[in-house]
């Protein structure tokens, strides 16, 4: 089969990058932070930053998972994080 790669190792490296990107199931998460804890997050978090989320009640998050912070919204004393990963 013809391809645009000059070498087999280049094609294999590209395939590995694609599997790293698409091989793991990803999803969006919306996490509400308790009002008494919101101050801890507001000043130190920026969109694009990695965030480690552990949630014992959800199997996918039980052992912890690193997610990307997509956005922060604040309404009154409620802080919500939009995460992806």
């Amino acid at each position: 089969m013809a391809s645009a790669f000059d070498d087999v190792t280049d094609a294999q490296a590209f395939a590995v990058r694609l599997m790293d990107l698409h091989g793991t199931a990803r999803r969006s998460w919306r996490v509400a932070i308790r009002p008494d804890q919101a101050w801890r997050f507001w000043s130190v978090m920026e969109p694009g930053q990695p965030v480690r989320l552990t949630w014992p009640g959800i199997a996918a998050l039980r052992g912890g998972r690193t997610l990307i912070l997509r956005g922060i919204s604040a309404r009154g004393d409620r802080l919500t994080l939009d995460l992806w990963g």
Side-chain angles (χ1 to χ4, degrees):
M1 180 184 290
S3 78
F5 294 103
D6 295 329
D7 191 7
V8 169
T9 56
D10 292 337
Q12 288 173 335
F14 184 67
V16 168
R17 280 197 309 261
L18 287 177
M19 286 304 296
D20 286 344
L21 180 62
H22 299 289
T24 302
R26 309 277 185 206
R27 61 185 284 194
S28 293
W29 300 88
R30 181 164 287 156
V31 180
I33 306 297
R34 291 188 341 223
D36 64 327
Q37 297 296 315
W39 63 272
R40 294 177 184 229
F41 298 94
W42 185 250
S43 63
V44 296
M45 301 191 92
E46 297 177 9
Q49 181 178 0
V51 175
R52 181 101 176 143
L53 181 62
T54 303
W55 198 316
I58 298 175
L61 300 173
R62 192 168 290 137
R65 191 169 184 172
T66 302
L67 307 166
I68 301 298
L69 179 62
R70 291 178 35 194
I72 303 171
S73 62
R75 183 172 291 181
D77 62 352
R78 182 183 175 131
L79 182 68
T80 302
L81 306 178
D82 290 321
L83 305 168
W84 181 83

